[in-house]
Amino acid sequence: MRDAISAPDAEGKPRRTTRRFPLFTRDTARPEGGGRAAPGDAPAPARQWPILTVLSAVALGLLLTALDLFRVGTILIGAALVAGAVMRWMLPSVGMLAVRSRFTDMVTYSVLGGAIVVLALMAQPGPWLEIPFLDDTLHFTVR
């Protein structure tokens, strides 16, 4: 049995009208905001400045962590992800920082960045942030 066909597409080939997904995906839609962040005649690094900004801040955070400034380095990593969420929200084109839809990228970057910052603030020894109900939760589950 052959698939039903309909009017030809832009190239003149008949299209399938079935609602089943094709076996092979030939292309994907670019995420909204996935265009270049700078004009096309700009050099390659300048076109992708949002992702390079986030990656540079993460690299600096990893360097600080390696140099025994754990808390400051991990806070910088989390802040870089939150900055990526802000850039994804405010800028119309963010280049390779756009992975999925704007909403999904913003939620993913902000939740992961926020979690990293909170965990860095709670790290032992000498946490900068103490959440009282977590100690009670551990008392009843682990101790």
Side-chain angles (χ1 to χ4, degrees):
M1 179 175 155
R2 288 185 49 189
D3 290 336
I5 57 174
S6 68
D9 60 7
E11 298 173 355
K13 297 178 184 171
R15 292 185 304 168
R16 295 171 33 131
T17 57
T18 179
R19 294 180 62 179
R20 292 183 185 176
F21 291 108
L23 291 176
F24 299 103
T25 303
R26 290 186 175 77
D27 60 357
T28 56
R30 204 167 72 189
E32 117 188 48
R36 293 180 174 135
D41 58 349
R47 290 192 306 253
Q48 298 297 332
W49 69 267
I51 190 75
L52 290 175
T53 302
V54 172
L55 289 176
S56 299
V58 168
L60 180 61
L62 289 172
L63 179 66
L64 290 173
T65 303
L67 295 175
D68 208 23
L69 293 170
F70 167 76
R71 197 177 312 269
V72 175
T74 51
I75 288 173
L76 182 60
I77 292 169
L81 289 174
V82 171
V86 170
M87 281 191 279
R88 187 70 174 101
W89 175 51
M90 296 186 73
L91 300 175
S93 291
V94 289
M96 290 174 48
L97 191 61
V99 179
R100 293 171 185 86
S101 70
R102 187 178 305 268
F103 176 77
T104 303
D105 285 344
M106 285 173 28
V107 168
T108 303
Y109 294 149
S110 59
V111 166
L112 290 176
I116 290 172
V117 168
V118 168
L119 290 173
L121 292 173
M122 293 174 54
Q124 297 291 336
W128 293 355
L129 174 67
E130 293 185 20
I131 301 177
F133 71 86
L134 288 180
D135 191 39
D136 296 336
T137 304
L138 285 176
H139 176 72
F140 289 116
T141 58
V142 178
R143 295 180 188 168

